[in-house]
Amino acid sequence: MNAPDCLFCRIVAGEVPSTRVHDDDLIIAIRDIAPRAPTHILLIPRQHIPSAVDLVEADGPLLGRIFAVAADLARSEGIVDAGYRVVSNVGRWGGQSVDHLHIHLMGGRSFEWPPG
Amino acid sequence: MNAPDCLFCRIVAGEVPSTRVHDDDLIIAIRDIAPRAPTHILLIPRQHIPSAVDLVEADGPLLGRIFAVAADLARSEGIVDAGYRVVSNVGRWGGQSVDHLHIHLMGGRSFEWPPG
């Protein structure tokens, strides 16, 4: 389940410090250490799933939790009325920097199109 | 369930043409009409959900389907090895152009950071 050399597994386990804004049985949410927007939160499953390409239909409950918590955090951050962006990167061209699935919740500014 | 003035509800119903690359009981996937990457596909629930902020935990099965089909499409498009990006926009600052939830699957080129 957990990968000993994975930064996010170590953050989930509390071995590496983070600014946690949510914590439950399936996921944690932390502030990005290199924020690119006034609100920049990462939603991270406790389970080591390498990236979005590894998700299967049976991960529905996990994804339901991720998106419900993302919406709750967007409300508590006050970014809903103006709008925000949700992003997940896969692999090198996607810009994935940690090989443990995470969803970026970014808001508090206007975003250009295309998304990178 | 359906919103008569919603472009994506009309596309789901087949009243507006689209290039459909997937179709099942929960979602469709179409090619973006203004692609910003060699692969640019929209995954769209049949149900009219305005945006990602309206998702609740009970939408888990829908989200499981969306992400499983996105991974399958990424594989069939040949964009997995290089990597890709998955994006959902909420509201004006997020850049949401149609008020019916949709997930952008974008690949075939390298993406910058931040994502817009």
Side-chain angles (χ1 to χ4, degrees):
Chain A
M1 195 85 113
N2 280 353
D5 294 332
C6 168
L7 174 62
F8 285 174
C9 282
R10 297 189 63 206
I11 285 177
V12 165
E15 296 167 13
V16 171
S18 65
T19 305
R20 222 172 265 222
V21 294
H22 176 86
D23 193 330
D24 66 36
D25 59 318
L26 291 179
I27 66 172
I28 68 168
I30 65 174
R31 297 212 184 266
D32 195 296
I33 201 170
R36 301 304 297 264
T39 289
H40 190 165
I41 289 170
L42 306 180
L43 296 110
I44 304 172
R46 290 184 167 276
Q47 184 189 354
H48 182 78
I49 297 170
S51 84
V53 77
D54 302 297
L55 290 166
V56 294
E57 195 150 351
D59 291 312
L62 170 65
L63 287 160
R65 179 70 57 81
I66 287 173
F67 278 82
V69 169
D72 283 343
L73 288 168
R75 282 185 281 267
S76 63
E77 293 280 315
I79 62 175
V80 171
D81 288 349
Y84 61 95
R85 185 163 284 174
V86 178
V87 179
S88 192
N89 300 326
V90 177
R92 188 169 46 90
W93 276 8
Q96 186 175 8
S97 55
V98 177
D99 290 337
H100 180 132
L101 175 66
H102 52 289
I103 309 282
H104 296 262
L105 169 67
M106 302 175 77
R109 66 169 173 86
S110 181
F111 290 86
E112 305 282 330
W113 196 250
Chain B
M1 195 84 111
N2 280 353
D5 295 332
C6 168
L7 174 62
F8 285 174
C9 283
R10 297 189 64 207
I11 285 177
V12 165
E15 297 168 13
V16 171
S18 65
T19 303
R20 221 172 265 221
V21 294
H22 176 86
D23 192 330
D24 67 38
D25 59 316
L26 291 179
I27 67 172
I28 68 168
I30 64 174
R31 297 213 183 264
D32 195 295
I33 200 169
R36 300 305 296 265
T39 289
H40 190 167
I41 290 170
L42 306 180
L43 296 111
I44 305 173
R46 289 182 168 278
Q47 184 189 354
H48 182 79
I49 297 169
S51 85
V53 78
D54 303 296
L55 289 166
V56 295
E57 195 150 352
D59 291 311
L62 171 65
L63 287 159
R65 179 71 57 82
I66 287 172
F67 278 82
V69 169
D72 284 342
L73 288 169
R75 283 184 280 267
S76 61
E77 293 281 315
I79 61 175
V80 170
D81 288 350
Y84 61 95
R85 184 163 284 173
V86 177
V87 178
S88 193
N89 300 326
V90 178
R92 188 168 47 87
W93 277 7
Q96 187 176 8
S97 55
V98 177
D99 290 337
H100 180 133
L101 174 66
H102 51 288
I103 309 284
H104 297 262
L105 169 66
M106 301 174 76
R109 66 169 174 86
S110 180
F111 290 86
E112 305 283 327
W113 196 252

